[in-house]
Amino acid sequence: PGVKIPEAIVELTGITDNDVAKAPFFEEIAPLVRNQLAGTVFVAHNVRYDFPYLNGEFSRIAVPRLRSEYIDTVQLAQIAFPTLPSYKLDELVNCLGISLPRHHQADQDAAATGKLFLRLYREISDKSKQTLKNLSAISEGLIGNTGQFFELCRSKKEAKRIYKGIDISDLDIKDPDTSKLPDHYRDFQPDFDTSAQASRSVLRKRQYEFADIFSQKADNEHFISIFLRPRFGKSNACLLLARKLLEQKKRVLIVEENDHRRKMVLQKGLQFFPELFGRIAIPVTRKDFVNLDKLKNILKIPDSPTRQLAK
C-alpha cells in the first residue's frame, strides 16, 4: 500500500494497486503477525529467504525478531523425491498433484507449502526405522531445524504421537480463524495519507537517490568505491544502481564472497526486477576454474589407467 506496483509484478502475481489500496501497512499488523508466529515452527519453501526477510521487517520497525525453529521444504523435497526435474514451488507441487492456482500470491503459496509439508511428512514417515535413524544421524548440516523433521517422523513411526509436547497424530492444515482478529484487521480502512508511507516500502527513497547519484557518476569514472553506513540497505541500493547501469547497456559485476548472500542478491534482483530475468545470473567464482598449468603437470605423472582417465 502506498507504492505503485510495477506492471511486471502485476503480471507475475496478479496483485493490483486496487487490491492493496485499503490494506494495512506492515507496521499496523506486525504485532498480530508476531504473536501468531511466536512459539511455532516456521516452515517455508526456501526458508533462508523468507525467515530473514520477515525478521528484517520486524527489525525495521523495532518489533522483536522471531527466535523460532524453522524447516526448509526445498531440502526435504530433495531428500524425499530425489529424481524430480525441479524443486521450484509451482513445478514441484504440480509434479505431486498439489493445487496452486496462482503462484506468487502469498496465501496460495503458503497453502501449497503446507500441503507439500504434509505430503513430505507422510512420504518420509513411511520409510523404515533404520532409514529414518540414518537420515537423522546425517542431518546436522541441513538448514535450520530441518534435520529434526526426521525425529518428528520417527515419533510417528514409533507411535509416540507426541513430539516436543505437540500431538502429531493428526497433522493437518488449519483454516485461519478470522473471528479472533480485531475488526480493524479484518476490514482495514486507513485513516492516514498512504502516499507519505511510500518510503517504508522494501525499496526505500534513499536507495533510489543513491542509484540516481552514482549512475551519473559512472558516466565519468572508470572505478567507483562506495562505503555505505550500516542498515542503509546495501543490497537493494546496489541492485537499483545495477539496473540503471544495465539500462545504459553496461555490464555489472556485484562481488559477494559469501555463497548464501550471492544467491540472496540474485533472488532479490529477480524479485524487484523480473523484467531482467535472463540478463542476471550468479557468475562463476575462483573455485569453478581449473588451473591448466597444474593440470598439465599432474597429467605428466605416471599413474594407473583408471586414475589417469579420472584426471
Side-chain angles (χ1 to χ4, degrees):
V3 179
K4 173 74 175 172
I5 302 176
E7 286 301 318
I9 301 299
V10 174
E11 185 176 344
L12 180 71
T13 65
I15 300 170
T16 67
D17 290 326
N18 287 336
D19 293 328
V20 301
K22 296 181 179 180
F25 288 96
F26 185 71
E27 290 85 334
E28 303 294 323
I29 61 168
L32 179 69
V33 174
R34 178 71 172 69
N35 290 339
Q36 286 183 333
L37 293 176
T40 65
V41 177
F42 191 95
V43 178
H45 203 68
N46 195 4
V47 73
R48 273 186 174 163
Y49 179 80
D50 293 287
F51 195 63
Y53 190 98
L54 181 62
N55 268 334
E57 285 296 285
F58 282 139
S59 294
R60 178 176 64 83
I61 60 173
V63 170
R65 297 165 67 91
L66 282 172
R67 302 295 179 187
S68 306
E69 296 182 350
Y70 55 92
I71 290 176
D72 183 44
T73 50
V74 175
Q75 283 194 331
L76 289 178
Q78 291 168 337
I79 292 168
F81 305 106
T83 60
L84 291 183
S86 172
Y87 297 96
K88 293 180 179 179
L89 181 61
D90 56 335
E91 296 174 8
L92 173 60
V93 297
N94 182 58
C95 287
L96 299 177
I98 296 171
S99 174
L100 178 53
R102 184 75 206 203
H103 188 27
H104 294 303
Q105 285 200 358
D107 51 355
Q108 298 195 31
D109 278 357
T113 301
K115 293 172 184 176
L116 170 62
F117 179 80
L118 294 179
R119 175 67 184 276
L120 293 166
Y121 177 58
R122 292 194 298 270
E123 187 76 20
I124 295 177
S125 294
D126 285 342
K127 305 299 181 189
S128 70
K129 288 184 180 180
Q130 187 58 46
T131 298
L132 290 173
K133 185 177 180 181
N134 291 341
L135 284 170
S136 184
I138 62 174
S139 64
E140 187 176 337
L142 297 182
I143 292 171
N145 308 95
T146 303
Q148 294 181 16
F149 182 81
F150 306 119
E151 290 299 318
L152 178 73
C153 295
R154 285 178 71 184
S155 296
K156 178 185 179 184
K157 194 82 176 179
E158 297 169 4
K160 294 179 183 176
R161 300 302 186 196
I162 300 295
Y163 178 76
K164 292 192 173 183
I166 302 171
D167 182 358
I168 61 168
S169 58
D170 190 26
L171 281 181
D172 201 355
I173 294 179
K174 184 171 67 173
D175 291 327
D177 183 3
T178 57
S179 66
K180 295 180 180 180
L181 302 182
D183 289 341
H184 64 284
Y185 287 133
R186 283 203 298 269
D187 187 19
F188 184 81
Q189 298 290 334
D191 57 357
F192 49 86
D193 180 11
T194 57
S195 63
Q197 304 292 322
S199 63
R200 292 183 176 181
S201 64
V202 175
L203 292 173
R204 303 168 192 163
K205 181 180 178 182
R206 63 171 179 256
Q207 294 165 344
Y208 282 103
E209 292 172 344
F210 163 89
D212 287 337
I213 292 170
F214 283 96
S215 63
Q216 295 171 14
K217 286 184 177 294
D219 291 335
N220 305 317
E221 305 288 343
H222 189 60
F223 290 103
I224 302 174
S225 179
I226 303 167
F227 177 82
L228 294 174
R229 64 175 175 79
R231 303 195 63 76
F232 182 89
K234 292 182 284 292
S235 297
N236 295 355
C238 290
L239 282 168
L240 283 166
L241 175 57
R243 185 178 69 165
K244 285 186 171 291
L245 296 175
L246 287 170
E247 289 170 351
Q248 299 172 19
K249 308 298 183 187
K250 295 180 180 178
R251 300 182 70 185
V252 180
L253 176 66
I254 298 177
V255 179
E256 175 55 69
E257 288 295 321
N258 181 278
D259 183 59
H260 170 60
R261 285 191 57 80
R262 273 200 298 275
K263 293 176 181 177
M264 182 203 68
V265 170
L266 176 66
Q267 287 174 329
K268 278 191 171 186
L270 294 175
Q271 175 199 359
F272 295 145
F273 318 122
E275 71 276 10
L276 297 180
F277 183 80
R279 292 187 61 195
I280 58 178
I282 296 177
V284 292
T285 66
R286 288 169 293 182
K287 294 182 290 185
D288 300 312
F289 289 95
V290 173
N291 185 313
L292 294 180
D293 288 332
K294 286 186 179 179
L295 178 62
K296 182 178 178 181
N297 292 332
I298 290 172
L299 289 172
K300 290 178 181 178
I301 301 172
D303 222 326
S304 68
T306 304
R307 286 179 63 86
Q308 200 69 24
L309 177 62
K311 288 190 292 190

